[in-house]
Amino acid sequence: MSTFALVDGNNFYVSCERVFNPQLEKRPVVVLSNNDGCAVARSQEAKALGVKMGAPWFQMQALARKHGIVALSSNYTLYADMSNRMMAVLEKFSPSQEVYSIDECFLGLDGFHTDLTAYGQAIRQQVKCWTGLPTCIGIGPTKTLAKLANHIAKKQREWAGVCDLGKLSEHALNDLLERIDVGEVWGVGRRIREKLVRLGINTALDLKRAEVAFIGDYFSVVTQRTVVELQGVSLLQLEEVAPARQQIMCSRSFGLPVTQLTDLQQAIISYTTRAAEKLRRQSSLCRAVHISIRTNPFRQKDAQYSPGLTVTLPKATCDTLKLAQAGLWGLQRIYRPGCRYAKAGVILLDLVPAEIRQTSLFTDHETDKKNAQQLMQTMDAINQRMGKDAVFLAGAGVEKRWHMKQGNKTPRYTTEWKELVVVQC
DNA sequence: TCTGGGGTCCTAGGACCC
DNA sequence: TCTGGGGTCCTAGGACCC
């Protein structure tokens, strides 16, 4: 019998901001997506005012003014650093950890002969003390049940932040599951929920009691697996080492509509640069580049155009110059003048592991290849040390009229010397 | 005027081959 | 004029997650 814990940061991005600005405590706060588009994190107070996850921010202006909601641009540098700190603390509490997302991780608790609720409280306290971040913890015999337990710990105050489903009787567990909407189950999204409800499956308990074969008639094996996991049989294991990515993407909406080819070219070069850095970080090469551009689908009156094109490379590479060249070649082909473009994206596909080979030990005569590798390594090293975009391809542009909006971004409190918090004594 | 970004997995259906 | 069936591979699209 397995035991999993799921530790999840509460309102994670908002909590990160609050660590460095305590004046945000007890106030309605939201963090906006890139381009200040949508609300992607909300404090408890903001949720209570009815700000929905993913709500377009411009539609919330009146509400925000009325209640003094603080809206912050997203500061991913800060959140990633805080996430690393949180994960480092959590790692100490289990021999096995799977970092599942920026704000949550699974811990394996097999063979822990201790009161897991108390252990959970100890974890929460340590994380709060060492990072300032509040968390909730769900515990159960499968990952799906641990996720559900976490949901309960967050929504039902009486659990005080830790819910261990493993120690409930079957009867008590079912009572609890009966009161949870089936849409809250991990793996049941909007579409599958609608279909389940039509079949008379409304609660987590209904889904647990469904026949696996019956579910198989209407849904994929993924949903069948969910049913089995709800029944307490663990099918999903901890994945302690993150597998190498199979594709790497970089896309952004523009701060302003773009019509000129040159602006799109700059964007494609910038995004390719970002994606290629990630590619090299995981020591992969790619054999195809997919680029896409699109107009604003919300502007129904505008002519809509959203082409994409995959460019196959003659040889697998991680050279930003070659990748950008391929991307620009593709862009030429799909660009159509007269459209108001709102977004562009680059996906590196068909990834293969790079040969592990030190450049300095490179002994063959492929000088070009060697030079390209050295150039990329040098670029990465400089940007690592001197900050993002200390060196970049000139084609990416300097002015970047199209660059995304970030009207209210907080400092990079923990990662940038000039922006460190200074404590007055 | 303003509506995010980055992933994975699964399935259906077409292309192709014998 | 008549015109099979089955396997495999690939891709696009849909669903999910945070």
Side-chain angles (χ1 to χ4, degrees):
Chain A
M1 178 93 152
S2 310
T3 305
F4 300 90
L6 179 75
V7 187
D8 187 326
N10 302 345
N11 321 324
F12 189 72
Y13 298 164
V14 170
S15 297
C16 290
E17 299 287 353
R18 280 176 167 171
V19 169
F20 295 93
N21 183 359
Q23 294 187 352
L24 297 175
E25 295 288 347
K26 298 195 168 39
R27 295 183 60 184
V29 180
V30 302
V31 173
L32 303 177
S33 64
N34 273 338
N35 229 11
D36 292 344
C38 304
V40 290
R42 307 104 74 212
S43 72
Q44 225 26 264
E45 298 78 5
K47 287 177 192 170
L49 290 172
V51 179
K52 296 274 178 281
M53 179 66 179
W57 189 239
F58 74 93
Q59 292 174 355
M60 307 258 96
Q61 295 300 317
L63 188 75
R65 260 195 305 275
K66 185 168 168 201
H67 297 283
I69 301 176
V70 180
L72 302 170
S73 304
S74 40
N75 185 346
Y76 286 107
T77 312
L78 175 67
Y79 312 147
D81 186 58
M82 293 301 286
S83 172
N84 290 337
R85 291 170 190 224
M86 181 175 88
M87 297 307 170
V89 177
L90 292 171
E91 188 190 27
K92 312 281 187 217
F93 285 89
S94 166
S96 48
Q97 176 189 40
E98 174 187 338
V99 176
Y100 178 67
S101 75
I102 192 162
D103 71 332
E104 60 191 295
C105 81
F106 288 101
L107 298 175
L109 299 182
D110 291 358
F112 277 55
H113 301 292
T114 165
D115 178 358
L116 292 180
T117 304
Y119 195 64
Q121 291 297 356
I123 296 175
R124 294 181 70 218
Q125 209 177 354
Q126 187 81 272
V127 173
K128 176 73 182 166
C129 180
W130 287 10
T131 66
L133 296 168
T135 52
C136 280
I137 302 183
I139 301 167
T142 67
K143 283 175 139 185
T144 303
L145 284 169
K147 277 287 254 186
L148 207 56
N150 187 279
H151 170 78
I152 295 166
K154 278 196 169 150
K155 298 283 164 164
Q156 304 180 9
R157 284 197 106 104
E158 57 269 31
W159 296 89
V162 181
C163 171
D164 177 8
L165 294 181
K167 70 178 179 192
L168 298 183
S169 68
E170 187 70 16
H171 183 73
L173 175 60
N174 287 348
D175 268 0
L176 206 49
L177 297 187
E178 198 175 6
R179 287 184 286 133
I180 297 173
D181 188 286
V182 71
E184 304 293 349
V185 175
W186 192 33
V188 178
R190 190 173 56 84
R191 305 304 288 271
I192 289 180
R193 177 182 179 279
E194 281 171 14
K195 211 164 140 188
L196 284 169
V197 167
R198 261 182 272 131
L199 293 167
I201 297 171
N202 298 291
T203 68
L205 182 62
D206 293 341
L207 187 59
K208 174 184 171 179
R209 288 186 168 161
E211 284 288 340
V212 176
F214 171 80
I215 293 298
D217 290 342
Y218 295 91
F219 305 90
S220 80
V221 295
V222 178
T223 309
Q224 287 185 298
R225 221 178 277 147
T226 300
V227 174
V228 175
E229 284 239 324
L230 278 177
Q231 293 167 353
V233 179
S234 175
L235 298 179
L236 304 170
Q237 307 306 313
L238 276 192
E239 291 176 34
E240 296 182 58
V241 275
R245 301 251 166 269
Q246 294 174 36
Q247 52 177 240
I248 290 171
M249 185 184 321
C250 181
S251 70
R252 294 276 183 284
S253 297
F254 304 132
L256 299 164
V258 157
T259 55
Q260 300 298 309
L261 179 60
T262 50
D263 287 328
L264 291 174
Q265 286 169 330
Q266 288 185 1
I268 290 292
I269 293 172
S270 298
Y271 304 165
T272 307
T273 302
R274 261 319 72 80
E277 283 166 6
K278 294 189 213 169
L279 182 72
R280 294 192 291 270
R281 213 175 304 140
Q282 72 161 35
S283 304
S284 294
L285 307 176
C286 90
R287 293 190 287 210
V289 182
H290 180 89
I291 54 148
S292 59
I293 51 179
R294 72 161 165 77
T295 49
N296 185 345
F298 296 101
R299 286 179 63 102
Q300 291 296 338
K301 283 168 285 175
D302 283 11
Q304 295 293 315
Y305 181 53
S306 58
L309 184 70
T310 303
V311 183
T312 311
L313 299 161
K315 262 174 91 177
T317 183
C318 62
D319 181 347
T320 300
L321 297 162
K322 289 210 175 66
L323 296 172
Q325 215 170 16
L328 291 177
W329 185 86
L331 178 62
Q332 287 283 359
R333 267 147 198 83
I334 60 175
Y335 172 74
R336 183 194 286 172
C339 292
R340 290 159 57 86
Y341 296 97
K343 181 175 179 175
V346 174
I347 308 175
L348 306 182
L349 301 161
D350 210 350
L351 307 190
V352 291
E355 304 155 71
I356 316 271
R357 193 157 36 164
Q358 289 285 328
T359 309
S360 55
L361 300 177
F362 217 66
T363 50
D364 67 15
H365 302 292
E366 296 173 275
T367 317
D368 285 353
K369 194 165 149 193
K370 185 173 161 184
N371 288 344
Q373 283 199 355
Q374 275 179 347
L375 176 61
M376 289 304 114
Q377 280 185 358
T378 307
M379 264 182 73
D380 288 344
I382 293 175
N383 286 334
Q384 168 84 39
R385 204 152 114 204
M386 311 297 286
K388 204 179 86 172
D389 284 336
V391 283
F392 59 92
L393 302 191
V398 178
E399 201 188 339
K400 294 186 180 171
R401 292 181 295 275
W402 44 272
H403 206 259
M404 68 181 176
K405 284 187 291 194
Q406 287 191 302
N408 194 14
K409 193 166 148 197
T410 51
R412 291 163 290 180
Y413 297 109
T414 60
T415 55
E416 192 66 30
W417 283 109
K418 285 181 218 142
E419 300 173 16
L420 285 187
V421 180
V422 178
V423 180
Q424 306 271 346
C425 296

